[in-house]
Structures are given as structure tokens and as C-alpha cells.
Amino acid sequence: MKVGVILCCMIAVAWVVLALVQLWFVPLDAAVFIKISITAGLLFVIVLVLSLVLREYLTDKKLKDSGHLDG
């Protein structure tokens, strides 16, 4: 989970920096900026969902191995 949180934070911070640079200096075409923004948003969601699913799986596995859950 820690890796997922770190990656999500890095994606968010990178996008915020890019957005501020785009706001003040306009180095990218609007279409390219929108594509990068959509890609960053999708990566953020994918990393977040995968890290939550992995955490849930590992928690269930640990509980099953210790005998607290049946299955």
C-alpha cells in the first residue's frame, strides 16, 4: 500500500507542477496538455485501485493463514 500511495502522490504532484507551468508559460498545446492530464488521471486511478486490491488480498491471505478466516 505504501508504494501505491507514494506513486499516487508522485503522479499528483507531477501533474500539479505541469498544470502550474502550463498556466503561467503555456509550453504545451492545449490538446497535448489535456491528453497528459487524462493519462495522469487514469494512471492515478489504476495505481490506487491496484494498491487497494492488493492490500485487501494480502490482508485476507494473512487472516486465512493464521486461521481467523475460513476458506
Side-chain angles (χ1 to χ4, degrees), residues 3-71:
V3 174
V5 170
I6 291 169
L7 284 173
C8 284
C9 287
M10 287 174 47
I11 292 168
V13 168
W15 183 84
V16 166
V17 169
L18 178 66
L20 288 173
V21 169
Q22 181 70 16
L23 177 68
W24 287 97
F25 303 111
V26 192
L28 301 173
D29 185 40
V32 174
F33 177 71
I34 290 171
K35 289 177 186 178
I36 291 172
S37 296
I38 291 170
T39 303
L42 290 173
L43 284 174
F44 183 89
V45 170
I46 289 169
V47 169
L48 183 64
V49 167
L50 286 177
S51 65
L52 290 174
V53 167
L54 185 62
R55 183 186 71 170
E56 187 69 24
Y57 171 76
L58 292 175
T59 302
D60 284 351
K61 185 174 178 353
K62 182 179 174 184
L63 288 173
K64 285 180 185 176
D65 290 345
S66 66
H68 289 92
L69 285 179
D70 294 330

